Amino acid sequence: MASENGSAGTGEAPSFDEIDILWISEGMSCDGDTVSLTAAGKPAIEDVLLGLVPGLPKVNLHNKVLSPTLGGEEFLAPFRAAARGELSPFLLVIEGSVPNQNVIEGDGYWTSFGNDPETGEPLTLNWWIDQLAPRAWAVMTAGTCAAYGGIHAMAGNPTGCMGLADYLGWDFRSQAGLPVVNVPGCPIQPENFMETLVWVLQHAAGAAPPPPLDHMLRPQWLFGRTVHEGCDRAAYYEQGDFAMDYNSPKCQVKVGCWGPVVNCNVPKRGWMSGVGGCPNVGGICIGCTMPGFPDAFMPFMDEATGGAFSSLLVKPYGALVRRLRGITNMAVNREPKWHHNGPALTTGYDPTWRPRGTRPARGSRPKTRAKRRERT
């Protein structure tokens, strides 16, 4: 329901006090993104639905896994209303990759969502996208499959699967003038999706500008850096110190990690409550948030060609750095000289003080010899 402050398409700032989220996971999907969403805590999806996050419109979520309804026509009612143009505003979320229905010769379908009430025939995911996306106030993807095709779109697949932006066109704009908002991940990192959803909802409430997206329509603030830049193991790479097996705490580039070139914040953010994330728990990064996943990163356990070259270059530099840092570590890994239990109070502010019995500092020797000459 639009407030009196304006609505999408009028050129004024949008402002809604209630919005529906129509979440369809009938793409080629395992529902893993929905399951992952339930682990979010900042904020939790239930906090958004209960109105506990200030500044957001009232949210009605329609998701088959999380719905309190028993399914069937009761669950499909808001989707059918939106397809008829009787429900507005709504946010469309697609989970799972979009198959190419045109490659099927004759009858058949790849995936469906409900049936046509007149014919009883299954309604394809493609039909629902065609009906809902142009009417949606905003359109989001949940997971790499919906964003870029993912597993189902790898080379040789018979379904012709693709991401939602590939299907709608990368120049698609929703009723709010937004492109598809992609939140990749296999599955989504819970807080990444909720943070993006909250931004979109704040925009719907007129409390925030549109979310900034990169050229692949990902939230810039979440996917603007690489796994390597937030990884606890990154310093080992700089020092040319690499793991040769999966039990090592060192950099895993040589055992198949793609972290230096993958846009993802999971090592920095963790997975649940700041804990976990692939390299954090001994796993390699296989690029599951990237548009080229999985083809560009296979075979997963082999060292990447670029990784072999870069690690070779960094080894002599890293060996030198490790040695120099080791020397410095020995120098600073001891207590200051003025710590003692004698009667005189001494501090580091007195450059001339030395413990009894120690040799004078080098800088003091010329001065001492000069005084001796004066005496003679």
Side-chain angles (χ1 to χ4, degrees):
M1 181 171 60
S3 73
E4 296 179 357
N5 294 332
S7 60
T10 64
E12 301 176 11
S15 180
F16 303 115
D17 49 32
E18 183 171 355
I19 191 169
D20 288 81
I21 298 178
L22 303 183
W23 187 305
I24 299 179
S25 57
E26 261 60 40
M28 308 299 274
S29 166
C30 64
D31 291 322
D33 299 297
T34 292
V35 174
S36 182
L37 176 72
T38 62
K42 299 179 181 178
I45 183 64
E46 52 267 36
D47 291 342
V48 172
L49 299 180
L50 292 173
L52 301 179
V53 181
L56 299 187
K58 183 179 185 299
V59 176
N60 305 308
L61 175 65
H62 309 280
N63 176 300
K64 70 176 185 182
V65 178
L66 305 178
S67 174
T69 65
L70 298 178
E73 286 302 314
E74 182 183 0
F75 175 75
L76 288 171
F79 295 88
R80 296 197 189 279
R84 294 191 300 265
E86 299 171 1
L87 178 68
S88 181
F90 68 90
L91 170 63
L92 176 63
V93 179
I94 298 296
E95 178 179 354
S97 49
V98 184
N100 186 344
Q101 201 61 33
N102 296 320
V103 302
I104 297 180
E105 297 180 2
D107 296 333
Y109 58 93
W110 292 117
T111 179
S112 67
F113 182 55
N115 297 327
D116 187 321
E118 296 183 2
T119 66
E121 292 294 320
L123 292 172
T124 66
L125 170 69
N126 307 64
W127 184 90
W128 282 105
I129 294 174
D130 292 342
Q131 302 304 309
L132 298 179
R135 294 182 169 97
W137 186 83
V139 178
M140 294 180 64
T141 64
T144 300
C145 289
Y148 308 121
I151 296 288
H152 313 94
M154 63 190 300
N157 82 92
T159 63
C161 272
M162 67 197 86
L164 185 60
D166 297 315
Y167 182 80
L168 292 173
W170 286 80
D171 58 350
F172 167 84
R173 293 297 180 270
S174 68
Q175 289 291 311
L178 297 174
V180 175
V181 179
N182 286 328
V183 186
C186 192
I188 50 171
Q189 199 282 344
E191 263 74 39
N192 279 355
F193 186 86
M194 286 305 301
E195 197 170 301
T196 307
L197 176 64
V198 166
W199 191 316
V200 172
L201 292 174
Q202 286 178 328
H203 181 48
L213 308 176
D214 66 13
H215 71 291
M216 296 307 295
L217 306 182
R218 297 168 294 201
Q220 288 181 355
W221 74 97
L222 297 176
F223 296 92
R225 298 187 181 276
T226 65
V227 167
H228 185 74
E229 290 172 300
C231 183
D232 291 341
R233 301 167 182 256
Y236 288 106
Y237 184 99
E238 178 200 10
Q239 295 181 172
D241 203 0
F242 301 102
M244 294 296 120
D245 60 64
Y246 297 102
N247 295 317
S248 171
K250 300 177 181 179
C251 178
Q252 299 183 110
V253 163
K254 298 191 75 63
V255 292
C257 185
W258 285 82
V261 296
V262 169
N263 295 94
C264 182
N265 66 345
V266 165
K268 194 77 172 177
R269 177 159 237 174
W271 197 262
M272 293 176 61
S273 301
V275 179
C278 308
N280 296 350
V281 295
I284 60 173
C285 173
I286 60 174
C288 75
T289 60
M290 298 294 279
F293 176 80
D295 301 76
F297 304 95
M298 295 173 67
F300 293 137
M301 301 302 177
D302 289 359
E303 180 183 10
T305 303
F309 180 69
S310 62
S311 60
L312 180 65
L313 290 180
V314 81
K315 270 194 170 182
Y317 164 79
L320 176 63
V321 168
R322 284 203 311 275
R323 177 59 179 162
L324 294 176
R325 286 177 177 170
I327 295 172
T328 304
N329 176 263
M330 291 175 62
V332 298
N333 209 13
R334 59 185 63 161
E335 284 195 86
K337 61 183 181 181
W338 57 84
H339 290 186
H340 64 87
N341 196 30
L345 177 63
T346 56
T347 72
Y349 291 102
D350 182 2
T352 63
W353 181 86
R354 294 181 301 280
R356 182 174 299 178
T358 60
R359 297 179 61 187
R362 290 184 179 181
S364 65
R365 290 177 183 174
K367 188 174 181 180
T368 304
R369 287 196 294 268
K371 287 183 178 180
R372 287 174 178 171
R373 292 193 197 100
E374 290 176 4
R375 293 194 188 102
T376 58

PDB file of all heavy atoms in Angstrom, residues 44-62:
ATOM      1  N   ALA A  44      17.428 -10.769  11.897  1.00  0.00           N
ATOM      2  CA  ALA A  44      16.793 -12.042  11.584  1.00  0.00           C
ATOM      3  C   ALA A  44      15.554 -11.785  10.737  1.00  0.00           C
ATOM      4  O   ALA A  44      14.909 -10.738  10.861  1.00  0.00           O
ATOM      5  CB  ALA A  44      16.411 -12.768  12.871  1.00  0.00           C
ATOM      6  N   ILE A  45      15.205 -12.731   9.881  1.00  0.00           N
ATOM      7  CA  ILE A  45      14.030 -12.555   9.031  1.00  0.00           C
ATOM      8  C   ILE A  45      12.769 -12.397   9.880  1.00  0.00           C
ATOM      9  O   ILE A  45      11.863 -11.628   9.539  1.00  0.00           O
ATOM     10  CB  ILE A  45      13.889 -13.736   8.033  1.00  0.00           C
ATOM     11  CG1 ILE A  45      12.712 -13.523   7.085  1.00  0.00           C
ATOM     12  CG2 ILE A  45      13.775 -15.061   8.764  1.00  0.00           C
ATOM     13  CD1 ILE A  45      12.850 -12.325   6.180  1.00  0.00           C
ATOM     14  N   GLU A  46      12.717 -13.092  11.025  1.00  0.00           N
ATOM     15  CA  GLU A  46      11.536 -12.967  11.875  1.00  0.00           C
ATOM     16  C   GLU A  46      11.417 -11.568  12.483  1.00  0.00           C
ATOM     17  O   GLU A  46      10.315 -11.077  12.723  1.00  0.00           O
ATOM     18  CB  GLU A  46      11.526 -14.029  12.984  1.00  0.00           C
ATOM     19  CG  GLU A  46      12.790 -14.113  13.802  1.00  0.00           C
ATOM     20  CD  GLU A  46      13.768 -15.145  13.277  1.00  0.00           C
ATOM     21  OE1 GLU A  46      13.865 -15.313  12.043  1.00  0.00           O
ATOM     22  OE2 GLU A  46      14.456 -15.767  14.113  1.00  0.00           O
ATOM     23  N   ASP A  47      12.572 -10.899  12.722  1.00  0.00           N
ATOM     24  CA  ASP A  47      12.522  -9.523  13.230  1.00  0.00           C
ATOM     25  C   ASP A  47      11.916  -8.582  12.204  1.00  0.00           C
ATOM     26  O   ASP A  47      11.159  -7.656  12.552  1.00  0.00           O
ATOM     27  CB  ASP A  47      13.927  -9.053  13.600  1.00  0.00           C
ATOM     28  CG  ASP A  47      14.489  -9.769  14.822  1.00  0.00           C
ATOM     29  OD1 ASP A  47      13.686 -10.368  15.572  1.00  0.00           O
ATOM     30  OD2 ASP A  47      15.718  -9.735  15.017  1.00  0.00           O
ATOM     31  N   VAL A  48      12.246  -8.804  10.936  1.00  0.00           N
ATOM     32  CA  VAL A  48      11.678  -7.975   9.869  1.00  0.00           C
ATOM     33  C   VAL A  48      10.175  -8.219   9.764  1.00  0.00           C
ATOM     34  O   VAL A  48       9.376  -7.282   9.652  1.00  0.00           O
ATOM     35  CB  VAL A  48      12.381  -8.279   8.527  1.00  0.00           C
ATOM     36  CG1 VAL A  48      11.668  -7.578   7.372  1.00  0.00           C
ATOM     37  CG2 VAL A  48      13.837  -7.835   8.581  1.00  0.00           C
ATOM     38  N   LEU A  49       9.754  -9.483   9.822  1.00  0.00           N
ATOM     39  CA  LEU A  49       8.341  -9.816   9.674  1.00  0.00           C
ATOM     40  C   LEU A  49       7.509  -9.354  10.861  1.00  0.00           C
ATOM     41  O   LEU A  49       6.323  -9.035  10.716  1.00  0.00           O
ATOM     42  CB  LEU A  49       8.181 -11.324   9.485  1.00  0.00           C
ATOM     43  CG  LEU A  49       8.859 -11.928   8.254  1.00  0.00           C
ATOM     44  CD1 LEU A  49       8.629 -13.435   8.191  1.00  0.00           C
ATOM     45  CD2 LEU A  49       8.366 -11.263   6.976  1.00  0.00           C
ATOM     46  N   LEU A  50       8.133  -9.296  12.046  1.00  0.00           N
ATOM     47  CA  LEU A  50       7.408  -8.863  13.248  1.00  0.00           C
ATOM     48  C   LEU A  50       7.446  -7.352  13.438  1.00  0.00           C
ATOM     49  O   LEU A  50       6.906  -6.833  14.413  1.00  0.00           O
ATOM     50  CB  LEU A  50       7.994  -9.553  14.483  1.00  0.00           C
ATOM     51  CG  LEU A  50       7.763 -11.072  14.573  1.00  0.00           C
ATOM     52  CD1 LEU A  50       8.538 -11.663  15.738  1.00  0.00           C
ATOM     53  CD2 LEU A  50       6.274 -11.383  14.706  1.00  0.00           C
ATOM     54  N   GLY A  51       8.102  -6.644  12.523  1.00  0.00           N
ATOM     55  CA  GLY A  51       8.153  -5.187  12.614  1.00  0.00           C
ATOM     56  C   GLY A  51       9.095  -4.669  13.671  1.00  0.00           C
ATOM     57  O   GLY A  51       8.893  -3.571  14.196  1.00  0.00           O
ATOM     58  N   LEU A  52      10.125  -5.453  14.003  1.00  0.00           N
ATOM     59  CA  LEU A  52      11.048  -5.054  15.067  1.00  0.00           C
ATOM     60  C   LEU A  52      12.229  -4.227  14.566  1.00  0.00           C
ATOM     61  O   LEU A  52      13.062  -3.806  15.362  1.00  0.00           O
ATOM     62  CB  LEU A  52      11.568  -6.303  15.792  1.00  0.00           C
ATOM     63  CG  LEU A  52      10.496  -7.200  16.433  1.00  0.00           C
ATOM     64  CD1 LEU A  52      11.142  -8.403  17.103  1.00  0.00           C
ATOM     65  CD2 LEU A  52       9.656  -6.403  17.429  1.00  0.00           C
ATOM     66  N   VAL A  53      12.318  -4.028  13.244  1.00  0.00           N
ATOM     67  CA  VAL A  53      13.394  -3.218  12.678  1.00  0.00           C
ATOM     68  C   VAL A  53      12.821  -1.844  12.358  1.00  0.00           C
ATOM     69  O   VAL A  53      11.955  -1.714  11.481  1.00  0.00           O
ATOM     70  CB  VAL A  53      13.981  -3.860  11.410  1.00  0.00           C
ATOM     71  CG1 VAL A  53      15.108  -3.009  10.852  1.00  0.00           C
ATOM     72  CG2 VAL A  53      14.486  -5.269  11.712  1.00  0.00           C
ATOM     73  N   PRO A  54      13.249  -0.798  13.057  1.00  0.00           N
ATOM     74  CA  PRO A  54      12.660   0.527  12.854  1.00  0.00           C
ATOM     75  C   PRO A  54      12.833   1.022  11.421  1.00  0.00           C
ATOM     76  O   PRO A  54      13.834   0.765  10.772  1.00  0.00           O
ATOM     77  CB  PRO A  54      13.454   1.411  13.838  1.00  0.00           C
ATOM     78  CG  PRO A  54      14.027   0.468  14.845  1.00  0.00           C
ATOM     79  CD  PRO A  54      14.287  -0.802  14.108  1.00  0.00           C
ATOM     80  N   GLY A  55      11.826   1.737  10.947  1.00  0.00           N
ATOM     81  CA  GLY A  55      11.918   2.404   9.658  1.00  0.00           C
ATOM     82  C   GLY A  55      11.515   1.587   8.462  1.00  0.00           C
ATOM     83  O   GLY A  55      11.517   2.098   7.335  1.00  0.00           O
ATOM     84  N   LEU A  56      11.163   0.316   8.666  1.00  0.00           N
ATOM     85  CA  LEU A  56      10.779  -0.525   7.537  1.00  0.00           C
ATOM     86  C   LEU A  56       9.257  -0.564   7.393  1.00  0.00           C
ATOM     87  O   LEU A  56       8.522  -0.437   8.378  1.00  0.00           O
ATOM     88  CB  LEU A  56      11.290  -1.958   7.725  1.00  0.00           C
ATOM     89  CG  LEU A  56      12.789  -2.175   7.841  1.00  0.00           C
ATOM     90  CD1 LEU A  56      13.095  -3.662   7.844  1.00  0.00           C
ATOM     91  CD2 LEU A  56      13.547  -1.471   6.745  1.00  0.00           C
ATOM     92  N   PRO A  57       8.770  -0.756   6.174  1.00  0.00           N
ATOM     93  CA  PRO A  57       7.331  -0.970   6.024  1.00  0.00           C
ATOM     94  C   PRO A  57       6.934  -2.326   6.582  1.00  0.00           C
ATOM     95  O   PRO A  57       7.778  -3.191   6.829  1.00  0.00           O
ATOM     96  CB  PRO A  57       7.142  -0.921   4.498  1.00  0.00           C
ATOM     97  CG  PRO A  57       8.463  -1.314   3.933  1.00  0.00           C
ATOM     98  CD  PRO A  57       9.495  -0.789   4.898  1.00  0.00           C
ATOM     99  N   LYS A  58       5.650  -2.514   6.797  1.00  0.00           N
ATOM    100  CA  LYS A  58       5.150  -3.828   7.213  1.00  0.00           C
ATOM    101  C   LYS A  58       5.420  -4.809   6.074  1.00  0.00           C
ATOM    102  O   LYS A  58       5.135  -4.531   4.914  1.00  0.00           O
ATOM    103  CB  LYS A  58       3.659  -3.757   7.515  1.00  0.00           C
ATOM    104  CG  LYS A  58       3.072  -5.065   8.029  1.00  0.00           C
ATOM    105  CD  LYS A  58       1.588  -4.914   8.329  1.00  0.00           C
ATOM    106  CE  LYS A  58       1.019  -6.175   8.964  1.00  0.00           C
ATOM    107  NZ  LYS A  58       1.134  -7.347   8.080  1.00  0.00           N
ATOM    108  N   VAL A  59       5.967  -5.971   6.407  1.00  0.00           N
ATOM    109  CA  VAL A  59       6.380  -6.943   5.401  1.00  0.00           C
ATOM    110  C   VAL A  59       5.560  -8.219   5.534  1.00  0.00           C
ATOM    111  O   VAL A  59       5.436  -8.787   6.628  1.00  0.00           O
ATOM    112  CB  VAL A  59       7.884  -7.270   5.531  1.00  0.00           C
ATOM    113  CG1 VAL A  59       8.281  -8.356   4.545  1.00  0.00           C
ATOM    114  CG2 VAL A  59       8.723  -6.019   5.305  1.00  0.00           C
ATOM    115  N   ASN A  60       5.012  -8.668   4.401  1.00  0.00           N
ATOM    116  CA  ASN A  60       4.301  -9.939   4.337  1.00  0.00           C
ATOM    117  C   ASN A  60       5.106 -10.869   3.427  1.00  0.00           C
ATOM    118  O   ASN A  60       5.238 -10.616   2.232  1.00  0.00           O
ATOM    119  CB  ASN A  60       2.897  -9.751   3.761  1.00  0.00           C
ATOM    120  CG  ASN A  60       2.101  -8.706   4.523  1.00  0.00           C
ATOM    121  OD1 ASN A  60       1.992  -8.773   5.744  1.00  0.00           O
ATOM    122  ND2 ASN A  60       1.545  -7.727   3.814  1.00  0.00           N
ATOM    123  N   LEU A  61       5.666 -11.928   4.008  1.00  0.00           N
ATOM    124  CA  LEU A  61       6.508 -12.850   3.251  1.00  0.00           C
ATOM    125  C   LEU A  61       5.705 -14.059   2.795  1.00  0.00           C
ATOM    126  O   LEU A  61       4.996 -14.685   3.582  1.00  0.00           O
ATOM    127  CB  LEU A  61       7.685 -13.318   4.113  1.00  0.00           C
ATOM    128  CG  LEU A  61       8.596 -14.392   3.502  1.00  0.00           C
ATOM    129  CD1 LEU A  61       9.321 -13.861   2.269  1.00  0.00           C
ATOM    130  CD2 LEU A  61       9.596 -14.891   4.533  1.00  0.00           C
ATOM    131  N   HIS A  62       5.861 -14.398   1.497  1.00  0.00           N
ATOM    132  CA  HIS A  62       5.218 -15.577   0.934  1.00  0.00           C
ATOM    133  C   HIS A  62       6.318 -16.464   0.356  1.00  0.00           C
ATOM    134  O   HIS A  62       6.789 -16.253  -0.758  1.00  0.00           O
ATOM    135  CB  HIS A  62       4.213 -15.175  -0.141  1.00  0.00           C
ATOM    136  CG  HIS A  62       3.239 -14.122   0.309  1.00  0.00           C
ATOM    137  ND1 HIS A  62       2.132 -14.421   1.081  1.00  0.00           N
ATOM    138  CD2 HIS A  62       3.229 -12.768   0.134  1.00  0.00           C
ATOM    139  CE1 HIS A  62       1.467 -13.303   1.343  1.00  0.00           C
ATOM    140  NE2 HIS A  62       2.111 -12.291   0.776  1.00  0.00           N
TER     141      HIS A  62
END
